[in-house]
Amino acid sequence: MNRSRSLSTVAMMTARRRSKQVLPRGFSTHVLTRASTKKMISPSLLDTRVNTSSARCSLSTTVVVQIDKYQNNNNNNNDAATVAAAAAAAASAPVVSCPTTGSEDRLPNSDRERNALFANEVSRTMSNVTASVRHDWTKDEISQIYNLPFHELMYRASTVHRMYWNAAEVQQCTLLSIKTGGCTEDCSYCSQSTRHKTFVKPEPTMKVQEVLEAARRAKEAGSTRFCMGAAWRELGNKKNAFHHILDMVRGVNAMGLEVCCTLGMLNAEQAKQLKEAGLSAYNHNLDTSPEHYPNVITTRSYEDRLNTIANVRDAGISVCCGGILGLGEKDTDRVGLLHVLATLPEHPESVPINALVSIEGTPLGDKEDIDKVDAFDMARMIATARIVMPRTMVRLSAGRLSFSDAEQFMMFQAGANSIFNGDKLLTTANPEFDADQALFDKLGFVGKPAHKGPMPSPYAQEGGAVVVTKVVRQSHDDTNREEDFVEPSSQSQQQQFA
């Protein structure tokens, strides 16, 4: 095997003893403690570590673990075997106390910048739970997580949530329907389709100033992301409407709010123009699994949706993409949806989890044999999403009004850290701003400010309990390997590399 193509994985944590864990075949471990080496670290490797670290978000515990894996062309750190090896090494790190409050420092607001900041992480471990940002999940792996006993699933998801996020901070979003009714699609759950006889009547697109006034009210009430939805299949050749929407995006962005749109299918040029106008995120849900999708919608293919997501991602816009529970799907379909999301080239910035709000006159609204979605269904889906996409915001979306405060708290504990609030969630009711603020006060939550990144996890800062495993890539000859690594001589240096 060509050793010049070796992938050297270096996990940075504090250890006082050598790891005795059994690693997967093909891996070797070397834990460097104060007594194990006196070699000097090479300047090139030192530069690599510093450049991929964050001075604002130093982590608590540092062990130097070397995991050698020889590969030909695979540059993915976070495959299942690498994560397993990291977890084995992290298991022998010392347990330290956990702070209860976090720093005022914030991570980057862009999900891509955050992901780049932590690109050299393999995993995080706390309380015997290990998590990692992976893109090679199998359906079977996700199914095993989804089907855990509820108490165990909640424990793991809550722990993962606290390893990557400050659980006290919840994003507040407002969704306004700027074009209601008259959609030509046949989505069997939607009251806005012309194919269904519902209470919703077609309305013209709202005027720019009307939308900006609604955005102003939302900001005054505490919302920090303003989302605009239009009931149509695609932007297509709606040039005049698109011009007005670009003005809306510019105007809302000028207010200091983050801006999101859901406008159906987009081509690459339209996505580029929205980005230039200041669009923060674009919502385009997959709704359900690829297998169940044809039972719900026939006028737009699953591939159409994936293509729009790709156009949005390629334009540099954050992707908001999730699904709906209560479409007559099975648990395997819920797992299938999460599998598609978790294996995208980039995980969505946010994943909205919706409970179907049944509307009389729609095919699904008129069916009596579809089980109603309960709080445990929502919590199980949110918890699984949190575990398989730990750096993604999970949004508690449509249907929230049907759940009690206690049930919503269970969903926050499962890993939800974003909500829709306000008085108009497309065409279904949503809690008033005052009620949401009362709930936040009751639960001790604070809203995430607009255009500011999330607060880091207090458990992953200095003095915290999170053990972080990082990687450094280097091609070198094995005979010189020990000359490349050394334990920093002080705690401050350890924190710099962690």
Side-chain angles (χ1 to χ4, degrees):
M1 190 165 297
N2 186 355
R3 291 178 178 263
S4 66
R5 285 186 171 268
S6 67
L7 172 64
S8 180
T9 307
V10 181
M12 309 294 293
M13 299 170 273
T14 307
R16 297 180 181 175
R17 61 184 182 274
R18 292 177 180 268
S19 171
K20 300 297 184 182
Q21 303 295 323
V22 178
L23 300 181
R25 180 175 298 179
F27 287 83
S28 63
T29 298
H30 182 46
V31 180
L32 301 180
T33 64
R34 294 185 189 279
S36 67
T37 181
K38 299 296 182 181
K39 303 287 187 178
M40 292 299 294
I41 190 166
S42 68
S44 61
L45 186 55
L46 176 62
D47 291 342
T48 302
R49 292 180 180 177
V50 171
N51 289 339
T52 54
S53 299
S54 169
R56 293 177 298 176
C57 190
S58 60
L59 301 169
S60 58
T61 313
T62 306
V63 173
V64 180
V65 181
Q66 176 184 325
I67 306 168
D68 300 321
K69 183 179 182 183
Y70 295 102
Q71 301 179 350
N72 288 328
N73 296 306
N74 184 4
N75 290 324
N76 181 13
N77 297 332
N78 297 353
D79 60 15
T82 306
V83 173
S92 60
V95 176
V96 297
S97 61
C98 304
T100 57
T101 58
S103 167
E104 289 302 315
D105 292 336
R106 291 183 174 274
L107 299 171
N109 193 40
S110 164
D111 57 314
R112 284 188 170 180
E113 290 182 17
R114 290 198 300 274
N115 291 336
L117 188 66
F118 300 108
N120 61 339
E121 276 193 14
V122 174
S123 67
R124 294 189 175 194
T125 299
M126 184 171 73
S127 302
N128 294 321
V129 175
T130 296
S132 176
V133 179
R134 289 174 48 195
H135 299 267
D136 65 339
W137 290 99
T138 66
K139 281 187 180 180
D140 184 61
E141 287 176 318
I142 298 175
S143 178
Q144 289 179 37
I145 295 170
Y146 181 88
N147 289 299
L148 283 169
F150 188 75
H151 68 90
E152 179 65 21
L153 176 62
M154 287 291 290
Y155 167 72
R156 294 191 190 184
S158 182
T159 303
V160 171
H161 187 46
R162 282 157 176 78
M163 283 195 280
Y164 287 86
W165 299 88
N166 188 317
E169 187 175 56
V170 178
Q171 183 189 51
Q172 296 168 284
C173 310
T174 297
L175 177 57
L176 177 71
S177 180
I178 63 171
K179 169 63 180 75
T180 301
C183 182
T184 59
E185 298 271 48
D186 69 350
C187 307
S188 56
Y189 54 81
C190 186
S191 61
Q192 304 202 60
S193 172
T194 57
R195 302 168 187 243
H196 313 322
K197 294 182 179 180
T198 69
F199 70 91
V200 177
K201 304 304 178 186
E203 298 176 5
T205 303
M206 292 178 66
K207 304 296 184 183
V208 174
Q209 288 306 314
E210 292 176 328
V211 172
L212 297 184
E213 175 59 24
R216 183 190 62 78
R217 293 195 303 268
K219 180 179 180 180
E220 290 176 352
S223 185
T224 56
R225 176 173 286 191
F226 191 75
C227 306
M228 298 176 287
W232 53 48
R233 168 183 167 83
E234 60 186 343
L235 271 173
N237 292 319
K238 302 177 181 68
K239 294 182 179 179
N240 190 50
F242 188 40
H243 174 76
H244 291 318
I245 288 172
L246 292 175
D247 285 342
M248 294 174 191
V249 171
R250 295 186 190 100
V252 174
N253 188 51
M255 293 181 187
L257 289 169
E258 295 177 13
V259 196
C260 177
C261 284
T262 176
L263 309 171
M265 292 186 289
L266 290 180
N267 60 40
E269 178 58 29
Q270 290 163 340
K272 179 182 177 182
Q273 291 182 55
L274 285 167
K275 172 66 175 178
E276 292 172 348
L279 191 70
S280 306
Y282 194 86
N283 168 260
H284 201 64
N285 288 336
L286 292 175
D287 290 346
T288 188
S289 70
E291 294 77 14
H292 186 58
Y293 184 86
N295 300 322
V296 180
I297 304 160
T298 65
T299 53
R300 185 192 316 183
S301 71
Y302 212 79
E303 192 64 27
D304 287 336
R305 292 180 181 263
L306 291 172
N307 287 338
T308 292
I309 292 169
N311 288 336
V312 169
R313 184 175 60 240
D314 292 346
I317 301 170
S318 294
V319 172
C320 171
C321 183
I324 306 171
L325 306 189
L327 303 180
E329 76 281 357
K330 300 176 182 177
D331 283 343
T332 52
D333 295 308
R334 296 175 183 179
V335 169
L337 169 63
L338 291 175
H339 178 253
V340 174
L341 295 171
T343 55
L344 288 172
E346 296 178 16
H347 289 169
E349 180 238 16
S350 55
V351 171
I353 304 297
N354 300 271
L356 177 67
V357 179
S358 185
I359 303 294
E360 184 179 353
T362 64
L364 286 175
D366 293 338
K367 282 190 175 182
E368 298 181 357
D369 58 345
I370 294 180
D371 293 335
K372 185 178 179 181
V373 175
D374 63 24
F376 291 96
D377 293 323
M378 290 289 287
R380 187 172 289 278
M381 190 70 170
I382 289 168
T384 308
R386 170 52 65 222
I387 292 171
V388 300
M389 293 174 284
R391 291 201 187 279
T392 290
M393 299 190 86
V394 181
R395 183 166 298 119
L396 179 54
S397 300
R400 183 166 70 91
L401 184 61
S402 65
F403 301 111
S404 69
D405 287 357
E407 288 173 327
Q408 290 184 54
F409 174 68
M410 179 171 68
M411 297 173 203
F412 289 124
Q413 285 294 94
N417 59 347
S418 178
I419 63 168
F420 275 118
N421 59 13
D423 59 0
K424 196 172 185 182
L425 180 62
L426 289 181
T427 56
T428 62
N430 203 34
E432 296 285 352
F433 284 111
D434 290 346
D436 286 334
Q437 188 56 55
L439 177 62
F440 271 43
D441 292 342
K442 183 187 298 183
L443 301 180
F445 290 160
V446 295
K448 174 186 173 294
H451 295 296
K452 290 187 178 181
M455 293 188 290
S457 164
Y459 297 91
Q461 297 186 80
E462 186 172 355
V466 175
V467 176
V468 174
T469 306
K470 288 194 171 186
V471 302
V472 173
R473 299 179 184 279
Q474 185 184 33
S475 296
H476 53 74
D477 188 284
D478 280 357
T479 59
N480 296 324
R481 187 178 307 280
E482 285 194 350
E483 294 181 3
D484 290 335
F485 306 99
V486 66
E487 181 195 32
S489 60
S490 69
Q491 180 68 16
S492 62
Q493 287 177 299
Q494 291 176 2
Q495 296 299 334
Q496 184 181 29
F497 298 142

